[in-house]
Amino acid sequence: MKARIKKTILAFLFVLPLSILFSQSNFKKDSVLLKQLADSIEKYNQFDLAKSYKFFSAAFKQVDLSNHPFRTAMLYQIMADAYWYNGNTQLALTYYLKEQRIADSLKNNLLDAQAKYNIGWIKAIQFKQRDQIHYLYEALKIFEKEKKIQDMFKTYDAIGSFYGHFKHTSFFNKDSTIKYYNKCLELSNVDIKPRNIIGIKVNLGEFYNEYGDYKTAHNYLIKALNLAKKSSFSFYIPVIKSLLVETYFNLDSIDKAKQLIKEVEPEIRKNSDRLYYKIVLEAKHKIYYLENDYKNAYLTFAKLKVLIDTIAEYDENQSLLQQETNYLITKKDKEVKQAEYQNKLEEEKNKTNKRIIWSLIIVVLSIIFLLFMIFRNYKQKQKANKLLESQNKIIVEKKHEIEQSIKYALGIQNAILPAVSEIIAFFKSSFLYYLPKDIVSGDFYWYSNINKNHVLFAVADCTGHGVPGALMSMVCSDKLNMVTAKHENAKPNEILKLVNNEIKQSLKQNIEINKQRDGMDIALISYLPQDNKLLYSGANRPLWILKNNKLIEYAPTKQSIGGYTELNALYNLQEIILEKNDLIILFTDGVVDQFGGEKGKKLMTKTLKNHFLENSSLPLHELENKTKKLFTQWKGSYEQVDDVLIFVFKHV
């Protein structure tokens, strides 16, 4: 800390005496000094904002900038760059706007275009203000007129990025994105740096990945990878490989994706590139899941969850540090303005000897103030760091407690669900596809063996998913057990009526002031195989039977169990005579509500019906595999929207 204070004082003492030495310099000497200060700002602008700002402040304190408008504009541009590199886009925008006003007054087109390019980048792309894209077009018009190839290249890149950022909105324009990225590639044969060409090809690859055109994405990413290997820009290689992992996965080139993961994962971890490591882990998790390696899928998901939490925690810490930096910089801005005013006042009132005296006084006072600010800032950071350490410890503990609670809840839910082996023992020709959205589920299946020739079976969908849905599923499962224990000979519609009453009373839904309105949709059957008979009653969940290559749908009663349904509500009962090899299908709405496919739409009931009709002649184990594959392929890279539950059995 002492060494840092010493360096800061030495730098301050080096810069401020310049105001004394050059106070009577002529215009030419002032111009040279401004150039030196501008070079010093630019030297530190990417990694030491404090030093850049110190030289920037010195320029206003030492020179009458009204005589140097062009140099002043350049100072604003370089200082704005410093703020932008350090993440303070708002202050960067303020200085770019100051630069643009001076450029406009000087009628300097190139300076005006540079300012407008930077303003357009921040407003249109970073702030997503769509109507501000005109800044980029105005800059491009000037660069094209002046034939500034490098500037044309970066502006084409910016406009392409702008249109590509609004995916899934009405403002998204695929053609404009591709058009401007291709304009960049057209310039690649002119004096364009290989690094920029690689960047454009990576942008195109990433864009086509997001758009779902994985073959085109693969083409651009391979070209970018080959160019990066030939050039000295090896830092691009892990990034490109990470994107290729995602591309190969979506092209079903699983072996290539796995091989690439082995190559790139150590490099990404070594470079601490969290965002691209996230892409790799997501692909790795999906591959394990597709290969039914659930253990490694779970372990990879756990790593992914920790990484996501780390990214969020890092962003939060950066936000806190940025707020502190903004506060200090805003305060120093006021000091600069005050110094400008003070200098002008002193120039009017005092002669050269008085200026020197006052300059020395300002130096001494500034050093004292700087020492005080550094010491106070050091103490504040110490205090803030201790607070952050304490808060981080609490967050980690709470996160662990929540995870353990959810895992414990999973154990309870699994204990309540009937054993699959018991179900298969009765329904010898059957399959059960159960895929919760989260660790625990709001969907559940229920089974009660009355005697050798009579069982009750249900698939149910409780309000919500995850922990809330799981809690509701346990309540509903308990009520089914209780009602059937008391009323062994009750028919399915009578059971639903009694369960509805029990849930409404247990959750106090019969009281008007109670806003708790969770409930359950269910398909319940009473199956008597030796009698070739099935009784069905449903609450918002239908029953399908495939008979002689025709699918018959038995409609449910259009009301839930619990929720807004009245007490003693009645449910329809349907008696069905079964024939040998009839296929009985029960399911919840999670499968048909899943978004995916080429256009990101719902799977829909029609698609599921056609699936069972087209594959009705297959053995049940093949039908099970095809049903799982249908859902997995439809979902693709989309997030699962709800719990999935399908039960199918054949009457033999």
Short mmCIF file of all heavy atoms in Angstrom, two decimals, residues 232-285:
data_model
loop_
_atom_site.label_atom_id
_atom_site.label_comp_id
_atom_site.label_asym_id
_atom_site.label_seq_id
_atom_site.Cartn_x
_atom_site.Cartn_y
_atom_site.Cartn_z
N SER A 232 -1.00 -15.80 -35.58
CA SER A 232 -0.46 -15.79 -34.20
C SER A 232 -1.56 -15.58 -33.16
O SER A 232 -1.27 -15.38 -32.00
CB SER A 232 0.57 -14.66 -34.08
OG SER A 232 -0.02 -13.41 -34.38
N PHE A 233 -2.82 -15.62 -33.59
CA PHE A 233 -3.92 -15.33 -32.67
C PHE A 233 -4.48 -16.63 -32.09
O PHE A 233 -5.64 -16.98 -32.29
CB PHE A 233 -5.02 -14.53 -33.38
CG PHE A 233 -4.51 -13.24 -33.98
CD1 PHE A 233 -4.35 -13.09 -35.33
CD2 PHE A 233 -4.17 -12.18 -33.14
CE1 PHE A 233 -3.88 -11.91 -35.87
CE2 PHE A 233 -3.69 -10.99 -33.67
CZ PHE A 233 -3.53 -10.86 -35.05
N SER A 234 -3.63 -17.35 -31.36
CA SER A 234 -4.02 -18.64 -30.80
C SER A 234 -5.09 -18.51 -29.73
O SER A 234 -5.78 -19.49 -29.43
CB SER A 234 -2.79 -19.34 -30.23
OG SER A 234 -2.19 -18.54 -29.21
N PHE A 235 -5.25 -17.29 -29.14
CA PHE A 235 -6.26 -17.14 -28.08
C PHE A 235 -7.68 -17.33 -28.61
O PHE A 235 -8.61 -17.56 -27.85
CB PHE A 235 -6.14 -15.75 -27.43
CG PHE A 235 -6.34 -14.60 -28.39
CD1 PHE A 235 -7.59 -14.12 -28.68
CD2 PHE A 235 -5.24 -14.00 -29.01
CE1 PHE A 235 -7.78 -13.08 -29.56
CE2 PHE A 235 -5.41 -12.95 -29.89
CZ PHE A 235 -6.69 -12.47 -30.17
N TYR A 236 -7.84 -17.24 -29.96
CA TYR A 236 -9.17 -17.47 -30.54
C TYR A 236 -9.54 -18.96 -30.55
O TYR A 236 -10.72 -19.32 -30.59
CB TYR A 236 -9.19 -16.98 -31.99
CG TYR A 236 -9.75 -15.60 -32.19
CD1 TYR A 236 -8.98 -14.57 -32.72
CD2 TYR A 236 -11.07 -15.32 -31.85
CE1 TYR A 236 -9.50 -13.31 -32.91
CE2 TYR A 236 -11.59 -14.05 -32.03
CZ TYR A 236 -10.81 -13.05 -32.56
OH TYR A 236 -11.33 -11.81 -32.74
N ILE A 237 -8.52 -19.85 -30.56
CA ILE A 237 -8.76 -21.27 -30.82
C ILE A 237 -9.71 -21.91 -29.79
O ILE A 237 -10.69 -22.57 -30.18
CB ILE A 237 -7.42 -22.04 -30.91
CG1 ILE A 237 -6.65 -21.55 -32.16
CG2 ILE A 237 -7.64 -23.55 -30.96
CD1 ILE A 237 -5.25 -22.11 -32.30
N PRO A 238 -9.50 -21.72 -28.46
CA PRO A 238 -10.45 -22.33 -27.51
C PRO A 238 -11.88 -21.81 -27.68
O PRO A 238 -12.84 -22.56 -27.53
CB PRO A 238 -9.87 -21.92 -26.14
CG PRO A 238 -8.44 -21.59 -26.40
CD PRO A 238 -8.39 -21.04 -27.77
N VAL A 239 -12.02 -20.52 -28.01
CA VAL A 239 -13.35 -19.94 -28.21
C VAL A 239 -14.05 -20.61 -29.39
O VAL A 239 -15.21 -21.02 -29.31
CB VAL A 239 -13.23 -18.41 -28.46
CG1 VAL A 239 -14.58 -17.83 -28.86
CG2 VAL A 239 -12.71 -17.71 -27.22
N ILE A 240 -13.33 -20.75 -30.50
CA ILE A 240 -13.91 -21.35 -31.70
C ILE A 240 -14.27 -22.82 -31.44
O ILE A 240 -15.34 -23.29 -31.82
CB ILE A 240 -12.94 -21.23 -32.89
CG1 ILE A 240 -12.65 -19.75 -33.21
CG2 ILE A 240 -13.51 -21.91 -34.12
CD1 ILE A 240 -11.51 -19.53 -34.18
N LYS A 241 -13.38 -23.53 -30.77
CA LYS A 241 -13.66 -24.94 -30.47
C LYS A 241 -14.89 -25.09 -29.58
O LYS A 241 -15.68 -26.02 -29.76
CB LYS A 241 -12.44 -25.58 -29.80
CG LYS A 241 -11.28 -25.86 -30.77
CD LYS A 241 -10.14 -26.58 -30.07
CE LYS A 241 -9.01 -26.94 -31.03
NZ LYS A 241 -7.89 -27.62 -30.34
N SER A 242 -15.05 -24.17 -28.63
CA SER A 242 -16.23 -24.21 -27.75
C SER A 242 -17.51 -24.08 -28.57
O SER A 242 -18.49 -24.79 -28.35
CB SER A 242 -16.16 -23.08 -26.71
OG SER A 242 -15.02 -23.21 -25.92
N LEU A 243 -17.51 -23.15 -29.52
CA LEU A 243 -18.69 -22.96 -30.37
C LEU A 243 -18.89 -24.18 -31.28
O LEU A 243 -20.04 -24.56 -31.57
CB LEU A 243 -18.53 -21.69 -31.21
CG LEU A 243 -18.49 -20.38 -30.41
CD1 LEU A 243 -18.12 -19.21 -31.31
CD2 LEU A 243 -19.85 -20.11 -29.75
N LEU A 244 -17.80 -24.81 -31.73
CA LEU A 244 -17.91 -26.00 -32.57
C LEU A 244 -18.50 -27.19 -31.80
O LEU A 244 -19.19 -28.03 -32.39
CB LEU A 244 -16.54 -26.37 -33.13
CG LEU A 244 -16.12 -25.63 -34.41
CD1 LEU A 244 -14.67 -25.91 -34.74
CD2 LEU A 244 -17.00 -26.02 -35.59
N VAL A 245 -18.23 -27.25 -30.50
CA VAL A 245 -18.84 -28.30 -29.67
C VAL A 245 -20.36 -28.22 -29.78
O VAL A 245 -21.05 -29.22 -30.01
CB VAL A 245 -18.40 -28.16 -28.20
CG1 VAL A 245 -19.26 -29.04 -27.30
CG2 VAL A 245 -16.94 -28.55 -28.03
N GLU A 246 -20.89 -27.00 -29.61
CA GLU A 246 -22.34 -26.78 -29.71
C GLU A 246 -22.84 -27.13 -31.11
O GLU A 246 -23.89 -27.76 -31.28
CB GLU A 246 -22.66 -25.32 -29.39
CG GLU A 246 -24.14 -24.99 -29.42
CD GLU A 246 -24.40 -23.51 -29.18
OE1 GLU A 246 -23.44 -22.74 -29.13
OE2 GLU A 246 -25.58 -23.15 -29.05
N THR A 247 -22.06 -26.76 -32.14
CA THR A 247 -22.46 -27.02 -33.53
C THR A 247 -22.52 -28.52 -33.81
O THR A 247 -23.50 -29.03 -34.36
CB THR A 247 -21.46 -26.35 -34.50
OG1 THR A 247 -21.33 -24.97 -34.15
CG2 THR A 247 -21.96 -26.45 -35.93
N TYR A 248 -21.46 -29.24 -33.43
CA TYR A 248 -21.43 -30.69 -33.68
C TYR A 248 -22.57 -31.39 -32.94
O TYR A 248 -23.17 -32.33 -33.47
CB TYR A 248 -20.09 -31.27 -33.24
CG TYR A 248 -18.97 -31.03 -34.23
CD1 TYR A 248 -17.72 -30.57 -33.80
CD2 TYR A 248 -19.15 -31.27 -35.59
CE1 TYR A 248 -16.68 -30.34 -34.71
CE2 TYR A 248 -18.12 -31.06 -36.50
CZ TYR A 248 -16.90 -30.59 -36.06
OH TYR A 248 -15.89 -30.37 -36.95
N PHE A 249 -22.87 -30.94 -31.72
CA PHE A 249 -23.96 -31.55 -30.96
C PHE A 249 -25.28 -31.41 -31.72
O PHE A 249 -26.05 -32.36 -31.86
CB PHE A 249 -24.06 -30.92 -29.57
CG PHE A 249 -25.21 -31.46 -28.77
CD1 PHE A 249 -25.07 -32.64 -28.05
CD2 PHE A 249 -26.44 -30.81 -28.74
CE1 PHE A 249 -26.12 -33.16 -27.32
CE2 PHE A 249 -27.49 -31.33 -28.02
CZ PHE A 249 -27.33 -32.50 -27.31
N ASN A 250 -25.54 -30.22 -32.22
CA ASN A 250 -26.80 -29.97 -32.91
C ASN A 250 -26.83 -30.61 -34.30
O ASN A 250 -27.91 -30.75 -34.89
CB ASN A 250 -27.05 -28.47 -33.01
CG ASN A 250 -27.45 -27.88 -31.68
OD1 ASN A 250 -28.46 -28.26 -31.11
ND2 ASN A 250 -26.65 -26.96 -31.16
N LEU A 251 -25.66 -30.97 -34.86
CA LEU A 251 -25.60 -31.70 -36.12
C LEU A 251 -25.63 -33.22 -35.88
O LEU A 251 -25.45 -33.99 -36.82
CB LEU A 251 -24.33 -31.33 -36.88
CG LEU A 251 -24.30 -29.93 -37.52
CD1 LEU A 251 -22.91 -29.63 -38.05
CD2 LEU A 251 -25.34 -29.82 -38.64
N ASP A 252 -25.83 -33.61 -34.62
CA ASP A 252 -25.83 -35.03 -34.22
C ASP A 252 -24.48 -35.70 -34.46
O ASP A 252 -24.40 -36.93 -34.58
CB ASP A 252 -26.94 -35.80 -34.95
CG ASP A 252 -28.32 -35.39 -34.48
OD1 ASP A 252 -28.45 -35.00 -33.29
OD2 ASP A 252 -29.26 -35.45 -35.29
N SER A 253 -23.42 -34.91 -34.56
CA SER A 253 -22.06 -35.47 -34.66
C SER A 253 -21.51 -35.59 -33.23
O SER A 253 -20.59 -34.87 -32.83
CB SER A 253 -21.18 -34.57 -35.52
OG SER A 253 -21.67 -34.48 -36.83
N ILE A 254 -22.11 -36.52 -32.50
CA ILE A 254 -21.81 -36.62 -31.06
C ILE A 254 -20.35 -37.00 -30.82
O ILE A 254 -19.70 -36.46 -29.92
CB ILE A 254 -22.76 -37.64 -30.40
CG1 ILE A 254 -24.23 -37.25 -30.64
CG2 ILE A 254 -22.47 -37.75 -28.91
CD1 ILE A 254 -24.58 -35.87 -30.11
N ASP A 255 -19.82 -37.93 -31.64
CA ASP A 255 -18.43 -38.35 -31.45
C ASP A 255 -17.47 -37.18 -31.64
O ASP A 255 -16.49 -37.01 -30.89
CB ASP A 255 -18.08 -39.49 -32.41
CG ASP A 255 -18.81 -40.77 -32.05
OD1 ASP A 255 -19.21 -40.91 -30.88
OD2 ASP A 255 -18.97 -41.64 -32.93
N LYS A 256 -17.72 -36.35 -32.65
CA LYS A 256 -16.86 -35.19 -32.88
C LYS A 256 -16.98 -34.19 -31.73
O LYS A 256 -15.99 -33.58 -31.31
CB LYS A 256 -17.24 -34.50 -34.20
CG LYS A 256 -16.84 -35.30 -35.42
CD LYS A 256 -17.14 -34.52 -36.70
CE LYS A 256 -16.70 -35.30 -37.93
NZ LYS A 256 -16.98 -34.56 -39.19
N ALA A 257 -18.23 -34.02 -31.24
CA ALA A 257 -18.42 -33.11 -30.12
C ALA A 257 -17.66 -33.59 -28.89
O ALA A 257 -17.00 -32.82 -28.20
CB ALA A 257 -19.92 -32.98 -29.81
N LYS A 258 -17.72 -34.92 -28.64
CA LYS A 258 -17.03 -35.48 -27.48
C LYS A 258 -15.51 -35.30 -27.61
O LYS A 258 -14.83 -34.97 -26.64
CB LYS A 258 -17.40 -36.96 -27.33
CG LYS A 258 -18.83 -37.17 -26.84
CD LYS A 258 -19.30 -38.60 -27.03
CE LYS A 258 -18.58 -39.58 -26.16
NZ LYS A 258 -19.13 -40.95 -26.31
N GLN A 259 -14.99 -35.57 -28.82
CA GLN A 259 -13.55 -35.42 -29.03
C GLN A 259 -13.11 -33.98 -28.81
O GLN A 259 -12.07 -33.70 -28.20
CB GLN A 259 -13.20 -35.87 -30.46
CG GLN A 259 -11.72 -35.76 -30.81
CD GLN A 259 -10.85 -36.61 -29.90
OE1 GLN A 259 -11.23 -37.71 -29.50
NE2 GLN A 259 -9.68 -36.11 -29.54
N LEU A 260 -13.91 -33.04 -29.32
CA LEU A 260 -13.58 -31.62 -29.20
C LEU A 260 -13.65 -31.16 -27.74
O LEU A 260 -12.87 -30.32 -27.30
CB LEU A 260 -14.53 -30.79 -30.06
CG LEU A 260 -13.97 -29.48 -30.64
CD1 LEU A 260 -12.64 -29.71 -31.34
CD2 LEU A 260 -14.97 -28.88 -31.62
N ILE A 261 -14.61 -31.72 -26.99
CA ILE A 261 -14.72 -31.39 -25.56
C ILE A 261 -13.44 -31.79 -24.83
O ILE A 261 -12.92 -31.04 -24.00
CB ILE A 261 -15.95 -32.08 -24.94
CG1 ILE A 261 -17.25 -31.40 -25.43
CG2 ILE A 261 -15.89 -32.04 -23.41
CD1 ILE A 261 -18.50 -32.14 -25.05
N LYS A 262 -12.90 -32.99 -25.16
CA LYS A 262 -11.65 -33.44 -24.53
C LYS A 262 -10.51 -32.47 -24.81
O LYS A 262 -9.67 -32.22 -23.96
CB LYS A 262 -11.29 -34.83 -25.05
CG LYS A 262 -12.18 -35.94 -24.52
CD LYS A 262 -11.73 -37.28 -25.07
CE LYS A 262 -12.63 -38.42 -24.57
NZ LYS A 262 -12.23 -39.73 -25.15
N GLU A 263 -10.48 -31.93 -26.04
CA GLU A 263 -9.41 -31.01 -26.42
C GLU A 263 -9.54 -29.64 -25.75
O GLU A 263 -8.57 -29.07 -25.26
CB GLU A 263 -9.40 -30.81 -27.94
CG GLU A 263 -9.05 -32.05 -28.72
CD GLU A 263 -9.16 -31.82 -30.22
OE1 GLU A 263 -9.19 -30.63 -30.65
OE2 GLU A 263 -9.22 -32.80 -30.96
N VAL A 264 -10.78 -29.13 -25.74
CA VAL A 264 -10.94 -27.71 -25.39
C VAL A 264 -11.22 -27.48 -23.91
O VAL A 264 -10.91 -26.41 -23.38
CB VAL A 264 -12.08 -27.09 -26.25
CG1 VAL A 264 -13.45 -27.51 -25.75
CG2 VAL A 264 -11.97 -25.58 -26.24
N GLU A 265 -11.79 -28.46 -23.21
CA GLU A 265 -12.19 -28.23 -21.82
C GLU A 265 -11.01 -27.82 -20.93
O GLU A 265 -11.11 -26.86 -20.17
CB GLU A 265 -12.90 -29.47 -21.26
CG GLU A 265 -13.51 -29.22 -19.88
CD GLU A 265 -14.33 -30.40 -19.38
OE1 GLU A 265 -14.36 -31.46 -20.05
OE2 GLU A 265 -14.94 -30.26 -18.31
N PRO A 266 -9.84 -28.51 -21.02
CA PRO A 266 -8.70 -28.06 -20.19
C PRO A 266 -8.24 -26.64 -20.52
O PRO A 266 -7.89 -25.87 -19.63
CB PRO A 266 -7.61 -29.09 -20.51
CG PRO A 266 -8.33 -30.27 -21.07
CD PRO A 266 -9.51 -29.72 -21.79
N GLU A 267 -8.27 -26.27 -21.82
CA GLU A 267 -7.83 -24.93 -22.22
C GLU A 267 -8.77 -23.86 -21.67
O GLU A 267 -8.34 -22.83 -21.17
CB GLU A 267 -7.78 -24.83 -23.75
CG GLU A 267 -6.76 -25.74 -24.39
CD GLU A 267 -6.79 -25.61 -25.92
OE1 GLU A 267 -6.55 -24.50 -26.40
OE2 GLU A 267 -7.09 -26.63 -26.57
N ILE A 268 -10.08 -24.12 -21.80
CA ILE A 268 -11.08 -23.14 -21.32
C ILE A 268 -10.98 -22.97 -19.82
O ILE A 268 -11.04 -21.86 -19.29
CB ILE A 268 -12.50 -23.61 -21.72
CG1 ILE A 268 -12.68 -23.53 -23.23
CG2 ILE A 268 -13.56 -22.76 -21.04
CD1 ILE A 268 -12.75 -22.15 -23.78
N ARG A 269 -10.82 -24.10 -19.09
CA ARG A 269 -10.68 -24.01 -17.64
C ARG A 269 -9.44 -23.24 -17.26
O ARG A 269 -9.43 -22.42 -16.34
CB ARG A 269 -10.62 -25.41 -17.02
CG ARG A 269 -11.99 -26.03 -16.76
CD ARG A 269 -11.90 -27.07 -15.64
NE ARG A 269 -10.86 -28.05 -15.87
CZ ARG A 269 -11.06 -29.23 -16.43
NH1 ARG A 269 -12.25 -29.59 -16.80
NH2 ARG A 269 -10.06 -30.08 -16.62
N LYS A 270 -8.33 -23.51 -17.99
CA LYS A 270 -7.05 -22.83 -17.71
C LYS A 270 -7.17 -21.33 -17.92
O LYS A 270 -6.62 -20.53 -17.16
CB LYS A 270 -5.98 -23.41 -18.62
CG LYS A 270 -4.58 -22.82 -18.40
CD LYS A 270 -3.58 -23.45 -19.36
CE LYS A 270 -2.21 -22.82 -19.21
NZ LYS A 270 -1.24 -23.40 -20.16
N ASN A 271 -7.88 -20.93 -18.97
CA ASN A 271 -8.03 -19.50 -19.29
C ASN A 271 -9.12 -18.82 -18.48
O ASN A 271 -9.32 -17.61 -18.61
CB ASN A 271 -8.34 -19.33 -20.78
CG ASN A 271 -7.21 -19.81 -21.66
OD1 ASN A 271 -6.07 -19.88 -21.22
ND2 ASN A 271 -7.51 -20.16 -22.90
N SER A 272 -9.83 -19.60 -17.65
CA SER A 272 -10.94 -19.05 -16.82
C SER A 272 -11.97 -18.32 -17.67
O SER A 272 -12.53 -17.31 -17.26
CB SER A 272 -10.38 -18.11 -15.73
OG SER A 272 -9.51 -18.79 -14.89
N ASP A 273 -12.22 -18.85 -18.89
CA ASP A 273 -13.20 -18.23 -19.79
C ASP A 273 -14.57 -18.84 -19.48
O ASP A 273 -14.99 -19.82 -20.07
CB ASP A 273 -12.82 -18.47 -21.24
CG ASP A 273 -13.52 -17.50 -22.16
OD1 ASP A 273 -14.61 -17.02 -21.79
OD2 ASP A 273 -12.99 -17.21 -23.22
N ARG A 274 -15.27 -18.24 -18.50
CA ARG A 274 -16.46 -18.87 -17.94
C ARG A 274 -17.59 -19.04 -18.96
O ARG A 274 -18.27 -20.06 -18.98
CB ARG A 274 -16.98 -18.05 -16.74
CG ARG A 274 -16.02 -18.02 -15.57
CD ARG A 274 -16.66 -17.31 -14.37
NE ARG A 274 -15.78 -17.23 -13.23
CZ ARG A 274 -14.98 -16.21 -12.97
NH1 ARG A 274 -14.95 -15.20 -13.82
NH2 ARG A 274 -14.21 -16.19 -11.90
N LEU A 275 -17.82 -18.01 -19.80
CA LEU A 275 -18.96 -18.05 -20.71
C LEU A 275 -18.82 -19.19 -21.72
O LEU A 275 -19.78 -19.91 -22.01
CB LEU A 275 -19.12 -16.72 -21.43
CG LEU A 275 -19.52 -15.54 -20.52
CD1 LEU A 275 -19.59 -14.25 -21.33
CD2 LEU A 275 -20.87 -15.79 -19.85
N TYR A 276 -17.60 -19.38 -22.27
CA TYR A 276 -17.41 -20.46 -23.24
C TYR A 276 -17.30 -21.81 -22.54
O TYR A 276 -17.67 -22.84 -23.11
CB TYR A 276 -16.19 -20.17 -24.11
CG TYR A 276 -16.46 -19.02 -25.05
CD1 TYR A 276 -15.97 -17.74 -24.79
CD2 TYR A 276 -17.25 -19.20 -26.19
CE1 TYR A 276 -16.24 -16.67 -25.64
CE2 TYR A 276 -17.51 -18.15 -27.04
CZ TYR A 276 -17.01 -16.89 -26.77
OH TYR A 276 -17.29 -15.85 -27.61
N TYR A 277 -16.81 -21.83 -21.32
CA TYR A 277 -16.82 -23.07 -20.54
C TYR A 277 -18.26 -23.52 -20.28
O TYR A 277 -18.56 -24.71 -20.28
CB TYR A 277 -16.08 -22.85 -19.22
CG TYR A 277 -15.85 -24.10 -18.41
CD1 TYR A 277 -15.62 -25.33 -19.02
CD2 TYR A 277 -15.87 -24.07 -17.02
CE1 TYR A 277 -15.41 -26.48 -18.29
CE2 TYR A 277 -15.66 -25.22 -16.27
CZ TYR A 277 -15.43 -26.42 -16.91
OH TYR A 277 -15.24 -27.55 -16.17
N LYS A 278 -19.15 -22.56 -20.10
CA LYS A 278 -20.58 -22.86 -19.90
C LYS A 278 -21.14 -23.58 -21.13
O LYS A 278 -21.89 -24.56 -21.00
CB LYS A 278 -21.35 -21.56 -19.63
CG LYS A 278 -22.85 -21.74 -19.46
CD LYS A 278 -23.47 -20.41 -19.04
CE LYS A 278 -24.98 -20.46 -19.03
NZ LYS A 278 -25.54 -20.40 -20.38
N ILE A 279 -20.77 -23.11 -22.34
CA ILE A 279 -21.24 -23.74 -23.57
C ILE A 279 -20.77 -25.20 -23.62
O ILE A 279 -21.53 -26.11 -23.96
CB ILE A 279 -20.72 -22.97 -24.80
CG1 ILE A 279 -21.37 -21.58 -24.87
CG2 ILE A 279 -21.00 -23.74 -26.09
CD1 ILE A 279 -20.81 -20.69 -25.95
N VAL A 280 -19.49 -25.42 -23.26
CA VAL A 280 -18.92 -26.78 -23.28
C VAL A 280 -19.64 -27.69 -22.29
O VAL A 280 -20.01 -28.82 -22.62
CB VAL A 280 -17.40 -26.72 -22.99
CG1 VAL A 280 -16.85 -28.13 -22.82
CG2 VAL A 280 -16.68 -26.00 -24.10
N LEU A 281 -19.86 -27.19 -21.07
CA LEU A 281 -20.53 -28.01 -20.05
C LEU A 281 -21.96 -28.33 -20.43
O LEU A 281 -22.45 -29.44 -20.18
CB LEU A 281 -20.49 -27.29 -18.70
CG LEU A 281 -19.15 -27.29 -17.95
CD1 LEU A 281 -19.28 -26.58 -16.62
CD2 LEU A 281 -18.64 -28.71 -17.72
N GLU A 282 -22.67 -27.37 -21.04
CA GLU A 282 -24.05 -27.63 -21.46
C GLU A 282 -24.10 -28.76 -22.49
O GLU A 282 -24.93 -29.66 -22.40
CB GLU A 282 -24.66 -26.35 -22.04
CG GLU A 282 -25.02 -25.32 -20.99
CD GLU A 282 -25.48 -23.99 -21.59
OE1 GLU A 282 -25.21 -23.74 -22.78
OE2 GLU A 282 -26.10 -23.22 -20.86
N ALA A 283 -23.18 -28.72 -23.46
CA ALA A 283 -23.14 -29.76 -24.48
C ALA A 283 -22.76 -31.11 -23.85
O ALA A 283 -23.34 -32.16 -24.18
CB ALA A 283 -22.16 -29.39 -25.58
N LYS A 284 -21.80 -31.07 -22.94
CA LYS A 284 -21.33 -32.29 -22.28
C LYS A 284 -22.47 -32.94 -21.50
O LYS A 284 -22.67 -34.16 -21.56
CB LYS A 284 -20.17 -31.93 -21.35
CG LYS A 284 -19.39 -33.13 -20.83
CD LYS A 284 -18.19 -32.63 -20.02
CE LYS A 284 -17.37 -33.79 -19.46
NZ LYS A 284 -16.25 -33.31 -18.65
N HIS A 285 -23.25 -32.11 -20.78
CA HIS A 285 -24.39 -32.61 -20.01
C HIS A 285 -25.43 -33.26 -20.93
O HIS A 285 -25.95 -34.35 -20.65
CB HIS A 285 -25.02 -31.44 -19.23
CG HIS A 285 -26.34 -31.78 -18.61
ND1 HIS A 285 -27.53 -31.33 -19.13
CD2 HIS A 285 -26.66 -32.55 -17.54
CE1 HIS A 285 -28.52 -31.80 -18.40
NE2 HIS A 285 -28.03 -32.53 -17.44
#
